[in-house]
Amino acid sequence: MTPLTILFQSRSTRAFLATLVVLLVTLSSPGSAPAAGEIEVDSFEARLADRQAGGHPDLGIAFSLATTQAEGTAPGDCFGKDCLTVKGGAPKDVIVDLPEGFFGNTLGLPSCSSAELTNLICPVDAQVGVVALRLIKIGVPGESANTPVFNLIPERGEVAKFGFRVDGAANAFVSAGLRADGEYVIRTASINVFDGWPLLGVDMTIWGVPADSSHDIERVCLSVPGCSANLPPKPFLVAPPECGVDKSTRLMVRSYQRPTDDDWTTVVSEPEQMHGCDKLEFRPSVSAKPSDRGPEAPSGLSLDLLFPQHFDDPKGLETPPLRDATITLPEGVAINPASADGLAACTDAQLGLGTASAVSCPLASKIGSIEATSPAIEETVQGNLYLRTQASQDPASGEMFRLAMVLENEERGILLKLPGRAFLDPNTGRVKTVFQDNPQLPVSEVKVNLKTGPRAPLRMPSTCGTKTTTALLTSWGGQTATITDSFEVSGCGDGFEPKLTAGVKNPLAGASSPFSLRLTRQDGEQNLAGLNLTLPEGLLAKLAGVPYCPEAATASASCPSASQVGSVTVGAGSGPNPLYVPQPGKSPTAAYLAGPYKGAPLSIVVKVPAQAGPFDLGTSVVRNALFVDPVTARVDVKSDSLPQIIAGIPVSYRDVRVDIDRSGFMRSPTSCDPMATAGTITSAQGKSAKVESRFQVANCERLAFKPKLALKLSGKTNRSAHPALKATLTMPQGGANIARAAVTLPKTEFLEQAHIRTICTRVQYAAKSCPKASIYGYAKAWSPLLDKPLEGPVYLRSSSNPLPDLVASLDGQIHIDLSGRIDTRNARIRNTFDLVPDAPVSKFVLTMQGGKKGLLVNNTELCKAKPRADVKFDGQNGKVANFRPLVTVGCGKKRK
């Protein structure tokens, strides 16, 4: 007879050892009938004494396999004969995949050796449960009495081991681990089960608190049931910490007759949920210290996260494991460009995410080390932090700087691979690292040490003072903790810490309101020299009706008053009371709208008369280029250098205020998402400082969102004809702007891929050198913010998607690239504009060519159909408009 062996086939961690073959769900139906020759599961039952999250319940599991009787025999005829067998063959392997989050802690529990188990001399305090088996014995079913299950001394590659005697004749051993697919779900596997006495079923119970007096009646002392433990009660099992989430358990069985990977019979349990997560406590702490605290110094970082644990109270609830971690480094701490020298990246294949394969990342991709401590294992688990290959060129996407933590302990069979992302603010360089959906493992401490030295991955701020790291941590129980730690940057000498405040006077979504910007500098710091600021997305100006200052007048700022959009106030001088210009009775300052400048489509000319008291030092003129992002319409303001000396007098700027207050000129976004005015301020000595001012408007819900779209197919209507398409979008004034648009054409239209002649590459498009043959249509957009509509050709441009993108290149006072993603949905053509600028558009017309240049082809006679499109518009304010307009077709008579 072969001993029953239950073990994990993948790398494991003792944090999960207590699950054994216990499930968190109740009775489950076996599901669909197995194929011929496969084992059939008669019943599958799991028991959990209490579903309180983080509690210490007793757990039980029972399953029974179906049997078959030899033809022509009755149950009474089978004694001593092989006329009763398991349906589908003798069971060989049994696997149970458990829900995430169930774990246990054998540290501190007494254990015994395999020899002691054989000789029936295991200590009474090593018993952790009971088990009963159903076997086919001499032709008939036999059921063993409850047998004690003991905590055994684990061997190499095991994090825990359990065992029991089978009818006093053989030992059965149990070990635990993780499913090796990145989910880190507990998997138990019984391999080569009783080929002599076929297994019919198992009923096992594991105690949540083994020393509890409630188990005395089942405890075995000197082979006699009924006795007390000799140690205080200590928790052993811990229920999952996650509430309100369906969790299922899977049972897999295969036979000796059909032992391949394709021959498993699978039963999935009914989903169940834990409760009481509001009773769990989650009180982590953080320490974050750089290796070098000098200004602008390359530096490593030592990050230490602590999670208090308490495996002492049998009636208490355990700390839920960490689910998501967002670590935001201090403002000014940025990625060090020198770290790229000699740096490599690890590919996903080398990392082997979702598998148990060994990690083969190059040494040069290692950017730090990791150490994790768990209350469920004696040793700390060591690992490395790797830089993964780049997947995007957008630093704010989290796909440009991708990370991975790898923790491994070969002695205990532990291998964890945790992907993460670093988000970099594109304006300030601030680093935010995110690791989401971490395994549901109990961890008391995690230490991360980034590399130090001249090629360290981080660079300290250029300014001295206290710098604060913020950790936003979420547990699997749903608790959230925001914790901080600070350090000091010292040795700066002359400081440079300018402050920025910016916002609209009336912060209502979509409203017209003056915009103000104030830049201040403390006395004794290096002087202001220039600014480069990015305004919040959707904060735009109404250019319609505002004439540009003539180019010839910009140098002296002798612009007409009709071009004025605001004013400027400057406070200059040392000491606590700077001199403010303009002074009462003196010439006013002014800000004028002007035309293209230094590659930007627009500019602002600032006129500051240097007049104070009896002095008139002339007029200072500073021009600011206004760049408009062609994708988001977000505005960047880049100033010329501020004059440091006027008429031989150094200007010590202390307070610079810009008020864009022309009536009806500035328009607020229609999105209420938190945003910021952010950028870089430079000093006269060449230093720079990152600045940011939070920006957010309110009352988005009051804005209506009622876009209308009309579609028309023109040309021949017969099947296989290629119609032209005209789409006309109209938007009522005063509502929210469009954030996303998706239009699914009628099922009467297919994409004529044979007519896709030439596609403009991204390089060609960026260089504005697309081939003429890549034009397939024309677009025109009217906005109340502009004097004239934006218009231009529509190109097919290369894409990372299977089909090329449809891009409208709109020129006018500004340039906008409106990019649409072409795909199919339910065999219908769909075009999706995933990113639409938060800008008002009263009308937009898109015309696509037909005939030999048409991208559409009819698959039916249009005049016999009533083609409808499916349209979904998402508003910047979160509202959604869905409708199915009837597509107009020229069929000789008016359609209703």
Side-chain angles (χ1 to χ4, degrees):
M1 178 178 65
T2 302
L4 173 66
T5 304
I6 303 177
L7 52 90
F8 271 100
Q9 294 175 319
S10 62
R11 298 174 183 264
S12 57
T13 160
R14 188 178 298 178
F16 303 93
L17 54 88
T19 43
L20 302 172
V21 288
V22 183
L23 309 179
L24 306 178
V25 293
T26 53
L27 183 64
S28 168
S29 61
S32 58
E38 293 182 2
I39 290 180
E40 187 173 328
V41 179
D42 210 14
S43 65
F44 175 32
E45 181 182 21
R47 303 181 299 272
L48 181 64
D50 185 2
R51 289 186 175 82
Q52 167 62 51
H56 312 291
D58 296 344
L59 300 170
I61 180 174
F63 66 86
S64 180
L65 306 180
T67 59
T68 183
Q69 191 85 24
E71 187 176 353
T73 64
D77 300 332
C78 289
F79 188 79
K81 303 177 182 178
D82 292 332
C83 59
L84 182 68
T85 57
V86 175
K87 191 176 293 185
K92 178 182 182 294
D93 304 320
V94 180
I95 289 179
V96 176
D97 286 340
L98 304 176
E100 289 181 289
F102 206 92
F103 63 89
N105 181 11
T106 60
L107 293 183
L109 290 182
S111 60
C112 68
S113 66
S114 298
E116 288 174 319
L117 178 65
T118 300
N119 296 319
L120 302 178
I121 57 173
C122 281
V124 61
D125 296 334
Q127 185 178 352
V128 294
V130 293
V131 63
L133 305 177
R134 288 187 70 235
L135 306 170
I136 298 178
K137 300 180 180 180
I138 56 176
V140 297
E143 189 161 338
S144 65
N146 277 353
T147 300
V149 178
F150 293 99
N151 179 34
L152 303 183
I153 300 172
E155 300 176 5
R156 178 177 173 80
E158 295 179 328
V159 292
K161 188 174 185 178
F162 301 87
F164 54 89
R165 295 287 289 173
V166 180
D167 283 356
N171 290 342
F173 301 106
V174 178
S175 49
L178 301 177
R179 198 173 75 199
D181 59 358
E183 296 294 334
Y184 304 113
V185 173
I186 301 300
R187 166 162 285 184
T188 60
S190 302
I191 307 302
N192 298 327
V193 177
F194 292 110
D195 55 343
W197 290 354
L199 176 70
L200 294 181
V202 173
D203 193 335
M204 177 181 284
T205 299
I206 302 299
W207 301 330
V209 184
D212 191 272
S213 59
S214 63
H215 305 308
D216 289 353
I217 192 172
E218 295 180 292
R219 208 181 314 276
V220 175
C221 302
L222 299 176
S223 302
V224 178
C227 60
S228 300
N230 299 315
L231 73 166
K234 178 182 177 181
F236 171 37
L237 302 184
V238 181
E242 191 177 17
C243 296
V245 176
D246 288 341
K247 292 179 176 289
S248 297
T249 303
R250 183 173 70 172
L251 172 69
M252 301 168 61
V253 187
R254 64 182 177 185
S255 67
Y256 280 95
Q257 288 75 18
R258 299 183 61 175
T260 70
D261 288 341
D262 296 328
D263 295 324
W264 292 102
T265 295
T266 301
V267 178
V268 179
S269 71
E270 293 290 337
E272 293 288 343
Q273 297 184 358
M274 303 300 292
H275 62 78
C277 283
D278 57 326
K279 300 178 181 179
L280 303 178
E281 291 187 354
F282 184 66
R283 298 178 179 176
S285 60
V286 64
S287 172
K289 306 299 181 187
S291 60
D292 192 323
R293 304 188 185 189
E296 298 189 36
S299 176
L301 185 73
S302 176
L303 180 71
D304 194 355
L305 294 173
L306 297 173
F307 305 91
Q309 306 285 328
H310 40 85
F311 277 93
D312 318 346
D313 185 1
K315 298 186 181 300
L317 302 179
E318 300 306 327
T319 300
L322 174 68
R323 177 172 184 167
D324 300 331
T326 300
I327 310 297
T328 304
L329 299 183
E331 186 76 33
V333 174
I335 299 296
N336 177 24
S339 66
D341 188 9
L343 189 66
C346 184
T347 67
D348 289 348
Q350 291 170 327
L351 190 61
L353 284 175
T355 73
S357 63
V359 174
S360 58
C361 292
L363 182 61
S365 66
K366 176 184 172 182
I367 60 173
S369 62
I370 309 167
E371 183 179 292
T373 304
S374 171
I377 58 175
E378 295 179 359
E379 308 91 346
T380 59
V381 182
Q382 307 293 327
N384 295 313
L385 179 65
Y386 293 101
L387 179 68
R388 297 164 61 195
T389 51
Q390 181 178 334
S392 170
Q393 292 184 334
D394 180 6
S397 69
E399 297 298 322
M400 184 172 179
F401 291 94
R402 303 192 303 162
L403 307 171
M405 288 187 180
V406 177
L407 293 159
E408 186 170 13
N409 185 318
E410 292 186 2
E411 179 69 22
R412 291 302 169 199
I414 297 172
L415 179 60
L416 301 176
K417 305 172 185 178
L418 311 179
R421 297 179 292 172
F423 295 82
L424 305 185
D425 188 301
N427 301 306
T428 67
R430 192 169 190 177
V431 181
K432 179 176 70 175
T433 303
V434 178
F435 281 82
Q436 294 179 307
D437 291 328
N438 296 294
Q440 297 187 35
L441 313 178
V443 177
S444 55
E445 184 175 15
V446 176
K447 293 182 179 180
V448 179
N449 290 291
L450 298 183
K451 289 195 310 183
T452 60
R455 294 195 178 103
L458 299 179
R459 187 212 69 180
M460 289 294 99
S462 61
T463 58
C464 288
T466 301
K467 309 300 176 182
T468 301
T469 298
T470 302
L472 174 61
L473 307 177
T474 303
S475 78
W476 280 100
Q479 296 78 17
T480 298
T482 300
I483 52 181
T484 62
D485 188 42
S486 300
F487 59 86
E488 296 290 327
V489 174
S490 57
C492 292
D494 290 339
F496 184 57
E497 295 182 357
K499 307 298 181 184
L500 174 70
T501 303
V504 291
K505 184 176 181 179
N506 182 23
L508 292 178
S512 173
S513 176
F515 174 78
S516 298
L517 180 151
R518 185 181 184 186
L519 188 63
T520 60
R521 178 190 63 84
Q522 294 298 315
D523 194 17
E525 295 181 354
Q526 296 183 6
N527 200 28
L528 303 176
L531 60 86
N532 182 352
L533 298 177
T534 301
L535 302 184
E537 190 171 334
L539 183 64
L540 302 173
K542 184 178 181 181
L543 304 179
V546 182
Y548 292 171
C549 176
E551 188 63 28
T554 57
S556 61
S558 54
C559 304
S561 59
S563 300
Q564 185 175 350
V565 295
S567 61
V568 177
T569 301
V570 177
S574 300
N577 299 305
L579 176 70
Y580 282 88
V581 176
Q583 290 187 319
K586 303 295 182 180
S587 299
T589 62
Y592 301 97
L593 179 67
Y597 183 63
K598 292 187 176 180
L602 304 166
S603 58
I604 295 287
V605 176
V606 174
K607 173 185 178 181
V608 181
Q611 298 174 346
F615 301 104
D616 185 353
L617 305 180
T619 299
S620 175
V621 178
V622 177
R623 195 167 183 180
N624 305 268
L626 303 181
F627 293 88
V628 181
D629 188 297
V631 176
T632 65
R634 195 172 184 180
V635 177
D636 284 327
V637 182
K638 297 184 179 181
S639 76
D640 285 348
S641 295
L642 300 178
Q644 299 299 301
I645 297 178
I646 299 177
I649 299 177
V651 180
S652 180
Y653 297 97
R654 297 284 305 283
D655 189 349
V656 177
R657 306 178 191 183
V658 180
D659 295 297
I660 307 301
D661 54 5
R662 183 186 179 108
S663 178
F665 185 67
M666 296 299 296
R667 298 292 180 91
S668 292
T670 61
S671 167
C672 287
D673 290 340
M675 291 179 275
T677 299
T680 303
I681 309 301
T682 57
S683 77
Q685 287 74 25
K687 284 194 174 182
S688 62
K690 300 293 185 180
V691 293
E692 180 174 305
S693 178
R694 187 178 182 277
F695 181 95
Q696 189 173 18
V697 295
N699 290 355
C700 280
E701 67 279 359
R702 72 178 176 83
L703 297 178
F705 184 62
K706 297 180 179 180
K708 295 181 180 180
L709 182 67
L711 296 173
K712 180 180 179 180
L713 293 173
S714 57
K716 295 181 179 180
T717 63
N718 60 289
R719 187 176 184 274
S720 299
H722 300 89
L725 172 67
K726 182 178 182 180
T728 303
L729 168 71
T730 56
M731 293 284 292
Q733 292 186 4
N737 299 323
I738 296 173
R740 182 178 183 274
V743 179
T744 304
L745 295 181
K747 60 183 178 181
T748 60
E749 304 304 312
F750 286 163
L751 180 65
E752 182 59 277
Q753 297 201 38
H755 284 189
I756 298 178
R757 307 175 304 278
T758 303
I759 298 175
C760 182
T761 68
R762 289 182 176 270
V763 173
Q764 290 172 325
Y765 191 88
K768 299 182 179 180
S769 59
C770 288
K772 186 176 181 180
S774 63
I775 298 175
Y776 293 82
Y778 199 82
K780 195 171 185 178
W782 289 261
S783 171
L785 301 185
L786 303 175
D787 284 314
K788 296 180 180 180
L790 301 180
E791 56 187 316
V794 176
Y795 297 95
L796 284 185
R797 189 183 68 184
S798 59
S799 171
S800 57
N801 300 304
L803 293 173
D805 291 336
L806 190 71
V807 184
S809 179
L810 304 175
D811 272 317
Q813 287 179 277
I814 61 174
H815 178 83
I816 294 293
D817 292 327
L818 192 61
S819 178
R821 170 171 48 87
I822 303 174
D823 63 2
T824 58
R825 182 176 182 272
N826 298 327
R828 296 167 62 186
I829 303 170
R830 178 175 63 179
N831 194 48
T832 304
F833 295 91
D834 290 307
L835 180 59
V836 180
D838 189 359
V841 173
S842 55
K843 183 179 179 181
F844 176 80
V845 177
L846 173 69
T847 303
M848 300 301 297
Q849 298 171 340
K852 294 181 179 181
K853 297 182 179 181
L855 294 178
L856 303 180
V857 57
N858 299 332
N859 57 47
T860 187
E861 169 56 54
L862 296 184
C863 292
K864 295 182 180 180
K866 295 182 178 181
R868 287 187 180 273
D870 289 324
V871 178
K872 180 182 179 183
F873 288 102
D874 296 331
Q876 294 282 352
N877 64 345
K879 293 183 179 181
V880 177
N882 292 315
F883 49 94
R884 301 186 69 245
L886 183 67
V887 179
T888 302
V889 179
C891 293
K893 60 180 179 179
K894 186 176 181 181
R895 296 169 58 89
K896 293 184 179 180

